[in-house]
């Protein structure tokens, strides 16, 4: 599949990961086989990594999770730099994401816990206890408006009239 | 002084009384009164104007740009339009006297006709077409003469169809390609064949190219760019469809100086100028909005491909629309008229489509389905239309 079409395909999947190969093939004007092959190839190459669902957990009462973003200062290790400590951190199941940052601190870590206490415990007992970690600053998220490009709060309503010429 | 009140018939002009109410009106009221309707009846993009264009207008308001502009529109915008027409379609205009910024392309249609027509002049109106052409010709004192295109020719206009309707009263022709409601386009060769007939009979052309940016298989050819045609063509376009700016009401007319300046005369006495905040947003659209435009076109193309195939799968004949964002399937196989079909469809399945007859008699056995709506909505609509067809077999 040509590059341009492949980019289009990725956009379609990014928008809705559950689109069938048949519909995508129709949308792109290619064959189903070509779509299937391309998707397989993109999965193999780790260009498509996963097909998660974006869930608005706030609407599911019993699962009202607490999210915290933690700025972590670390000492990089000889020969492996930040990669080793980053891996130590991202192995914890409660860690959602880890980024190496420019600026005032080194790693940005996003954690999800059931309660504030649980997050605090993770930070004090596990994260801070790591050898290379110098300091942590924890920010709790109070409200999510937009997540991964999706506006969570109000659905974008169609402001057009029902029939126009 | 008589104390008697005039009746409505006496109060209103004969011209306005002879214009039938818009065929879309009644249907609009029905559709608007219902809840949970999936609409394929909307003749405008489903995108909101890209943010930076909105932002440009907001900033200009904050800075106090709230005054009149020159009658012809902001010079910068006219300049930018000329640059765009030249680079995109290879037709050159002088921003000083050959371009006019209008309040939507709709105003352009109106004042072009008013600038051209004397009472009784005939105007060829290529059907199916946008609902306003016929009434606006009448309002300008002209006589609309329908030129019907047909499904057999994929709703393209042929020189024969054109020639058949020309009389010695014919002054102008108005057409729109890519077309609303059929989605048909005309290639350069097809337009050239028309140009010969138009030249032979010395007609003036009003070419509504509002959908020029929305072509999916080939690039748009502007009628004005054909050899010798610039001097007899009024090119009408605007920002509504390409940049999702319907509510801003900014369009433009480009053409030979004498006609454009006559249009400016009408425009300065009736509109004065197009709204400044809209002009600012339009300027931003031309300067920095092409990427968004391309992305929107890409998604229209994907949905076009989907809907055409889906119609075929559920048994509705649909030619492949190469432009705009409408599919125009035939519902002849259902045995219903388009009005019946559309009305039953919305009442029974809550899907709104526009009966093709409102765009001229040639569309009587078709429905216009706008695919300017989300893929999810299209999938629901197709499923419901399928159920509807099964039921009425």
């Amino acid at each position: 599949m040509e590059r341009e079409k492949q980019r289009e395909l990725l956009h379609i999947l990014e928008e809705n990961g559950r689109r069938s190969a048949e519909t995508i093939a129709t949308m792109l004007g290619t064959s189903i086989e070509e779509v299937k092959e391309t998707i397989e190839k993109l999965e193999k190459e780790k260009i498509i990594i996963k097909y998660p669902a974006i869930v608005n957990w706030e609407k599911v009462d019993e699962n009202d999770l607490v999210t915290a973003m933690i700025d972590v200062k670390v000492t990089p290790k000889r020969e492996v730099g930040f990669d080793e400590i980053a891996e130590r951190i991202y192995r914890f199941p409660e860690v959602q994401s880890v980024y190496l940052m420019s600026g005032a601190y080194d790693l940005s870590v996003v954690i999800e816990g059931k309660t504030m206490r649980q997050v605090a415990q993770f930070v004090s007992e596990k994260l801070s206890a790591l050898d290379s970690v110098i300091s942590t600053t924890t920010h709790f998220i109070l409200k999510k408006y937009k997540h991964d490009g999706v506006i969570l709060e109000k659905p974008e309503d169609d402001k057009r009239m029902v029939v126009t010429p | 002084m008589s104390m008697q009140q005039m009746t409505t018939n006496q109060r209103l002009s004969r011209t306005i009384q002879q214009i039938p109410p818009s065929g879309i009106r009644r249907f609009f009221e029905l559709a608007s009164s219902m809840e949970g309707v999936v609409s394929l009846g909307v003749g405008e993009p489903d995108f909101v104007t890209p943010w930076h264009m909105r932002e440009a207008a907001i900033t200009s308001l904050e800075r106090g740009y709230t005054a009149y502009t020159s009658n012809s529109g902001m010079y910068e915008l006219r300049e930018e339009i000329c640059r765009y027409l030249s680079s995109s379609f290879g037709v050159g205009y002088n921003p000083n006297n050959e371009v006019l910024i209008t309040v939507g392309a709709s105003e352009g249609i109106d004042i072009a006709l008013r600038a051209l027509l004397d009472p009784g002049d005939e105007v060829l109106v290529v059907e199916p077409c946008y609902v306003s052409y016929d009434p606006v010709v009448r309002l300008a004192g002209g006589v609309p003469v329908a030129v019907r295109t047909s499904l057999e020719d994929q709703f393209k206009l042929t020189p024969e169809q054109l020639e058949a309707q020309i009389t010695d009263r014919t002054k102008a022709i108005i057409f729109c390609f890519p077309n609303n409601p059929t989605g048909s386009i005309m290639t350069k060769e097809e337009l050239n064949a028309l140009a010969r007939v138009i030249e032979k009979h010395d007609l003036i052309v009003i070419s509504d190219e509002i959908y020029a940016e929305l072509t999916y298989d080939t690039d748009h050819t502007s009628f004005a760019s054909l050899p010798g045609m610039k001097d007899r063509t009024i090119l009408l376009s605007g920002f509504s469809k390409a940049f999702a700016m319907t509510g801003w009401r900014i369009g433009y007319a480009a053409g030979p100086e004498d006609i454009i300046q006559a249009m400016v005369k009408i425009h300065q006495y009736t509109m004065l100028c197009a709204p400044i905040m809209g002009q600012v947003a339009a300027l931003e659209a031309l300067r920095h909005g092409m990427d968004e435009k391309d992305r929107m076109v890409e998604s229209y193309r994907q949905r076009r491909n989907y809907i055409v195939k889906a119609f075929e799968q559920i048994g509705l004949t649909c030619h492949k629309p190469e432009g705009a964002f409408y599919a125009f399937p035939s519902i002849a196989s259902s045995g219903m008229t388009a009005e019946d079909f559309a009305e039953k469809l919305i009442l029974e399945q809550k899907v709104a489509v526009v009966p093709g007859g409102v765009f001229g008699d040639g569309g009587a056995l078709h429905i216009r389905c706008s695919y300017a709506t989300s893929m999810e909505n299209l999938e629901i609509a197709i499923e419901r239309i399928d159920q509807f067809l099964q039921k009425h077999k």
Side-chain angles (χ1 to χ4, degrees):
Chain A
M1 190 179 279
E2 57 196 89
R3 277 188 77 87
E4 193 52 34
K5 278 251 193 306
Q6 186 173 294
R7 195 187 52 81
E8 256 188 85
L9 181 145
L10 287 167
H11 276 304
I12 292 171
L13 284 175
E14 207 173 27
E15 199 258 323
N16 181 350
R18 299 184 66 190
R19 282 242 170 281
S20 69
E22 188 187 356
T23 304
I24 295 173
T26 306
M27 288 165 82
L28 295 177
T30 58
S31 67
I32 301 176
E33 290 68 38
E34 192 176 2
V35 169
K36 282 182 174 161
E37 272 167 32
T38 309
I39 291 177
E40 223 166 277
K41 179 178 81 93
L42 291 165
E43 288 168 353
K44 264 206 195 85
E45 291 172 359
K46 286 276 179 262
I47 290 174
I48 298 175
I49 299 162
K50 214 176 168 187
Y51 300 91
I54 295 173
V55 181
N56 190 354
W57 286 110
E58 287 188 8
K59 292 203 163 170
V60 189
D61 295 342
E62 63 273 20
N63 279 311
D64 201 2
L65 293 172
V66 179
T67 310
M69 299 172 96
I70 305 162
D71 310 342
V72 187
K73 283 187 183 160
V74 299
T75 315
K77 282 216 172 124
R78 190 183 296 282
E79 294 197 12
V80 289
F82 291 101
D83 295 359
E84 191 186 75
I85 180 66
E87 182 172 357
R88 288 286 302 280
I89 294 173
Y90 71 61
R91 291 283 172 211
F92 289 113
E94 44 280 77
V95 171
Q96 297 301 309
S97 52
V98 177
Y99 309 108
L100 180 62
M101 308 294 285
S102 66
Y105 56 95
D106 307 308
L107 296 174
S108 175
V109 178
V110 179
I111 314 238
E112 240 168 36
K114 282 201 172 62
T115 59
M116 227 143 134
R117 180 198 297 260
Q118 200 185 41
V119 173
Q121 226 168 357
F122 172 83
V123 175
S124 59
E125 292 173 13
K126 294 178 177 168
L127 195 57
S128 303
L130 292 171
D131 262 357
S132 320
V133 172
I134 303 166
S135 73
T136 61
T137 312
T138 305
H139 311 273
F140 284 102
I141 289 178
L142 302 179
K143 186 174 181 181
K144 286 185 185 170
Y145 293 102
K146 189 175 184 179
H147 184 75
D148 282 355
V150 179
I151 294 166
L152 301 173
E153 264 308 290
K154 44 172 198 255
E156 297 275 325
D157 56 334
D158 196 334
K159 294 182 179 68
R160 302 173 299 166
M161 295 185 292
V162 189
V163 177
T164 61
Chain B
M1 270 295 282
S2 137
M3 292 299 290
Q4 270 190 321
Q5 271 270 305
M6 282 193 283
T7 63
T8 297
N9 282 359
Q10 290 167 315
R11 287 212 274 196
L12 300 177
S13 79
R14 274 193 296 279
T15 311
I16 198 71
Q17 290 186 63
Q18 279 161 3
I19 292 174
S22 164
I24 222 165
R25 188 90 237 143
R26 194 177 63 87
F27 192 73
F28 169 77
E29 276 153 17
L30 176 66
S32 306
S33 67
M34 293 176 66
E35 288 286 305
V37 170
V38 173
S39 184
L40 306 185
V42 192
E44 57 183 312
D46 58 320
F47 298 98
V48 176
T49 310
W51 173 248
H52 62 96
M53 301 164 204
R54 286 184 272 161
E55 213 266 339
I58 292 167
T59 306
S60 80
L61 287 173
E62 282 175 335
R63 291 172 60 199
Y65 287 98
T66 58
Y68 292 135
T69 68
S70 106
N71 291 133
S72 303
M74 286 163 56
Y75 186 76
E76 276 173 294
L77 178 57
R78 279 182 276 150
E79 227 178 0
E80 206 62 54
I81 286 167
C82 291
R83 210 170 289 146
Y84 160 79
L85 290 174
S86 153
S87 67
S88 294
F89 309 120
V91 55
Y93 290 100
N94 181 341
N96 288 304
N97 49 21
E98 293 182 324
V99 182
L100 159 66
I101 312 295
T102 57
V103 179
S106 298
E107 190 214 350
I109 297 163
D110 177 33
I111 60 178
L113 288 161
R114 283 201 272 165
L116 296 176
L117 300 184
D118 285 315
D121 282 345
E122 290 177 1
V123 178
L124 302 177
V125 177
V126 180
E127 289 185 355
C129 67
Y130 182 57
V131 294
S132 82
Y133 298 165
D134 181 289
V136 173
V137 169
R138 292 170 201 252
L139 286 170
V143 179
V145 176
V147 181
R148 269 190 218 162
T149 59
S150 67
L151 178 62
E152 292 71 61
D153 310 313
Q154 277 136 38
F155 293 105
K156 290 170 182 283
L157 174 63
T158 67
E160 297 74 34
Q161 288 164 336
L162 175 57
E163 191 110 48
Q165 300 299 331
I166 294 176
T167 69
D168 46 19
R169 311 241 28 194
T170 311
K171 178 144 192 197
I173 174 170
I174 178 165
F175 54 66
C176 170
F177 291 104
N179 180 273
N180 171 12
T182 65
S184 295
I185 63 153
M186 296 279 284
T187 64
K188 195 175 200 153
E189 294 68 38
E190 289 159 348
L191 287 173
N192 266 321
L194 294 184
R196 281 193 284 279
V197 179
I198 283 161
E199 210 155 24
K200 184 171 128 193
H201 295 277
D202 199 17
L203 304 181
I204 295 170
V205 177
I206 299 174
S207 180
D208 180 348
E209 301 184 17
I210 190 79
Y211 292 98
E213 285 291 349
L214 276 54
T215 59
Y216 307 117
D217 309 304
T218 49
D219 284 339
H220 172 76
T221 301
S222 172
F223 191 80
S225 71
L226 302 179
M229 288 301 114
K230 185 194 150 182
D231 194 48
R232 58 171 71 248
T233 304
I234 305 168
L235 190 170
L236 299 175
S237 192
F239 295 82
S240 294
K241 314 296 178 176
F243 299 100
M245 288 177 65
T246 49
W248 299 82
R249 312 309 305 126
I250 301 291
Y252 51 90
E257 184 183 0
D258 55 345
I259 299 180
I260 293 294
Q261 290 316 306
M263 288 167 69
V264 170
K265 213 190 277 182
I266 304 170
H267 176 79
Q268 74 187 19
Y269 293 132
T270 52
M271 284 295 169
L272 221 147
C273 69
I276 187 169
M277 52 291 282
Q279 293 191 55
V280 169
L283 189 59
E284 175 70 17
L286 282 182
R287 284 184 178 164
H288 308 292
M290 290 300 170
D291 286 354
E292 278 98 342
K293 183 264 297 171
D294 290 343
R295 267 200 295 282
M296 292 191 258
V297 171
E298 181 177 281
S299 83
Y300 294 139
R301 180 189 293 114
Q302 291 169 2
R303 298 184 238 166
R304 187 273 313 251
N305 292 347
Y306 170 78
I307 200 170
V308 171
K309 188 168 173 193
F311 277 140
E312 273 166 23
Q313 283 172 336
I314 63 175
L316 287 182
T317 314
C318 184
H319 73 286
K320 191 176 184 183
E322 292 187 64
F325 36 59
Y326 309 103
F328 203 57
S330 162
I331 48 102
S333 60
S334 72
M336 292 180 234
T337 65
E339 277 75 14
D340 261 2
F341 188 99
E343 198 162 316
K344 286 200 176 95
L345 181 64
I346 195 165
L347 291 172
E348 293 171 19
Q349 294 287 350
K350 293 198 170 178
V351 176
V353 298
V354 181
V358 308
F359 306 102
D361 295 343
L365 290 174
H366 293 261
I367 50 173
R368 188 193 73 172
C369 302
S370 164
Y371 49 85
T373 186
S374 69
M375 271 299 293
E376 287 73 18
N377 277 347
L378 290 179
E379 283 166 331
I380 295 167
I382 290 290
E383 200 176 308
R384 292 183 185 180
I385 295 171
D386 189 21
Q387 284 171 5
F388 179 81
L389 292 170
Q390 302 289 349
K391 191 186 143 188
H392 291 278
K393 256 192 179 141

